[in-house]
Amino acid sequence: MIGGLFAKVFQRVPSLLYRVSLMMKPQVVFVLGGPGAGKGTQCSKIVESFNYTHLSAGDLLRAERAREGSESGQLISNYIKEGKIVPVEITINLLKKAMEETMQGDEKKFRFLIDGFPRNGDNLQGWEKVMEGKADVKFVLFFDCGNEVCIDRCLERGKSSGRSDDNRESLEKRIQTYLQSTRPIIDQYEKSGKVRTIDASRCVDEVFADVKAVLDKEG
């Protein structure tokens, strides 16, 4: 009798249970594009207008790099200086920790913009291995911008950013890494219909107008 009662209750509220199960897992939007495409700027504007938490893979890596006594810090530093991709285990663990801490602090904060990740096939495989069943990737927000525009923006940013990789030599290496490693990931998601492309060569407000239209549609 009790079993039948439970069955009736579960039959009546499948949508509620589904919504609760979604709230228990991070809802993720991957934000991709070349260095200088405006990912960070647009993510800041999204956070102001929508209920998303912005996690920058690069910022998390740089913070860990600067953290005193970090075993991973020196390794991260060497990879970043060479314009190379940091080992996937380090990046995913930093992202996972940041999402967990955010959700523990506020259960309503379960939507995340993950900026600058996954950057290559190894990143994607690592994510799928570690995060399978633990997070839902809704789509990829792709900021499409020409290489020279990206370089010019980063050189301008480098005048005040203090970032050691905002110089032409490092930028050219980073763009080659992006073209060889990250673009195939975007193409892969494109085949499954999970890419939303934004023309990022325009001014900030014009780009955000398109971003807002995408997020309003996606819900």
Side-chain angles (χ1 to χ4, degrees):
M1 180 177 177
I2 294 177
L5 178 60
F6 273 114
K8 289 181 180 178
V9 171
F10 279 109
Q11 285 173 2
R12 290 176 181 173
V13 291
S15 61
L16 174 61
L17 292 174
Y18 177 68
R19 289 197 299 272
V20 170
S21 69
L22 281 180
M23 290 179 67
M24 299 303 289
K25 288 194 293 185
Q27 305 291 292
V28 172
V29 173
F30 287 142
V31 182
L32 296 177
K39 300 183 296 295
T41 298
Q42 293 299 323
C43 284
S44 295
K45 292 182 74 65
I46 291 170
V47 170
E48 291 174 2
S49 301
F50 297 89
N51 190 26
Y52 276 91
T53 297
H54 174 210
L55 298 178
S56 165
D59 285 350
L60 289 171
L61 288 167
R62 282 185 285 274
E64 188 68 17
R65 177 188 182 188
R67 188 169 66 84
E68 188 175 351
S70 169
E71 295 180 2
S72 304
Q74 187 58 50
L75 180 63
I76 292 171
S77 181
N78 292 339
Y79 274 87
I80 289 178
K81 285 180 181 177
E82 290 298 317
K84 296 180 180 178
I85 293 172
V86 174
V88 63
E89 296 83 3
I90 295 175
T91 305
I92 292 177
N93 284 332
L94 290 174
L95 288 167
K96 185 171 181 286
K97 179 182 178 183
M99 287 191 289
E100 288 173 349
E101 289 177 349
T102 299
M103 293 177 70
Q104 286 170 3
D106 186 346
E107 62 182 13
K108 294 180 181 178
K109 289 187 172 294
F110 58 91
R111 294 188 177 94
F112 295 91
L113 301 166
I114 297 187
D115 170 7
F117 185 93
R119 290 194 173 188
N120 63 6
D122 187 44
N123 277 186
L124 183 57
Q125 290 173 10
W127 173 272
E128 290 175 344
K129 180 179 179 181
V130 174
M131 301 302 293
E132 183 179 6
K134 299 176 183 177
D136 292 324
V137 178
K138 309 308 290 182
F139 58 91
V140 172
L141 192 58
F142 169 39
F143 290 99
D144 192 11
C145 191
N147 296 341
E148 282 305 314
V149 174
C150 287
I151 289 177
D152 289 344
R153 286 177 177 175
C154 287
L155 289 176
E156 186 63 30
R157 180 179 68 188
K159 294 177 182 179
S160 58
S161 70
R163 284 178 52 170
S164 62
D165 55 341
D166 276 346
N167 61 76
R168 181 166 287 276
E169 183 179 357
S170 288
L171 284 166
E172 289 177 350
K173 289 179 181 179
R174 288 163 62 195
I175 284 177
Q176 285 306 310
T177 299
Y178 161 72
L179 292 174
Q180 294 168 6
S181 302
T182 308
R183 279 307 299 261
I185 297 301
I186 296 168
D187 293 341
Q188 183 175 333
Y189 274 108
E190 185 79 67
K191 292 176 182 176
S192 59
K194 297 186 76 172
V195 173
R196 310 293 181 265
T197 301
I198 305 293
D199 177 2
S201 64
R202 300 163 299 160
C203 73
V204 171
D205 289 341
E206 289 178 328
V207 173
F208 184 65
D210 284 357
V211 170
K212 188 174 184 300
V214 167
L215 295 179
D216 283 340
K217 182 178 180 182
E218 295 292 339

